[in-house]
Amino acid sequence: MNGFPQVRTIVLRHADQTRSTLRAYTDSRSPKCQEILKCNQAQLVFWSERLRWQLRVSVRASVYHEGEVVERAWASVSQSHASKDYLAKQAPGSAIVSDRHQEDFLDHQPVIHHLAVLNFEVICMDWLELGKDMHRRAQIDANGYRDWE
């Protein structure tokens, strides 16, 4: 959008504390895939209303369009209601056009999914607690170093 950085909402699907990685899924035709391929750095922001915590995570990002990682993810997703998100004939961001006859035809075609796996390697985190009387903040790097404010 006019050269501005793009903000995306994604659903976190997996976190691996030992490897310091996070994983999400998206449609492989989504513009975010091309953006990640151009610049493999991103920031993820998480918010907990209950804890009043914000966590900003700086990551190195990669996109998997095919292979074992994608097929394992698809085996899980294909059994859920979310599978429809990756079977749509139109790419994300396309104008929505409904053609029931075409949809009926597509129902009898081989299943071709558009699932991509986004893998995020954590570089560092910025944790912020918004307390009633005082805020606390810590910056945590890949070695576990904490810088408290």
Side-chain angles (χ1 to χ4, degrees):
M1 184 171 148
N2 297 332
F4 285 87
Q6 296 296 298
V7 176
R8 308 285 189 192
T9 300
I10 59 172
V11 176
L12 182 64
R13 300 291 184 161
H14 180 75
D16 185 329
Q17 182 179 359
T18 305
R19 292 186 174 141
S20 297
T21 58
L22 305 170
R23 183 167 287 168
Y25 305 152
T26 193
D27 188 303
S28 61
R29 301 165 295 175
S30 168
K32 74 175 75 90
C33 289
Q34 292 305 312
E35 291 168 3
I36 289 171
L37 290 172
K38 282 184 187 175
C39 176
N40 71 340
Q41 297 176 338
Q43 285 194 320
L44 309 176
V45 178
F46 302 92
W47 168 250
S48 170
E49 174 92 27
R50 184 177 62 80
L51 297 172
R52 301 193 49 77
W53 286 5
Q54 173 186 290
L55 184 64
R56 186 174 51 194
V57 183
S58 297
V59 299
R60 256 185 295 289
S62 54
V63 181
Y64 295 91
H65 294 280
E66 58 188 11
E68 184 180 338
V69 170
V70 174
E71 293 313 315
R72 274 197 322 260
W74 178 246
S76 173
V77 171
S78 66
Q79 304 302 310
S80 72
H81 190 280
S83 65
K84 292 180 183 178
D85 295 340
Y86 308 104
L87 295 170
K89 66 180 179 176
Q90 294 177 286
S94 300
I96 297 174
V97 179
S98 180
D99 181 349
R100 187 64 205 145
H101 175 70
Q102 179 70 5
E103 290 172 12
D104 288 341
F105 174 76
L106 289 173
D107 286 343
H108 299 29
Q109 298 300 309
V111 175
I112 299 173
H113 68 79
H114 301 284
L115 176 73
V117 175
L118 305 178
N119 196 63
F120 304 107
E121 178 188 342
V122 176
I123 299 168
C124 63
M125 297 183 287
D126 182 86
W127 170 80
L128 175 65
E129 177 182 35
L130 297 174
K132 294 199 183 284
D133 298 323
M134 178 175 93
H135 302 331
R136 295 188 310 159
R137 171 177 242 139
Q139 294 179 336
I140 306 160
D141 68 16
N143 298 318
Y145 175 75
R146 293 170 181 89
D147 184 19
W148 292 89
E149 292 180 13

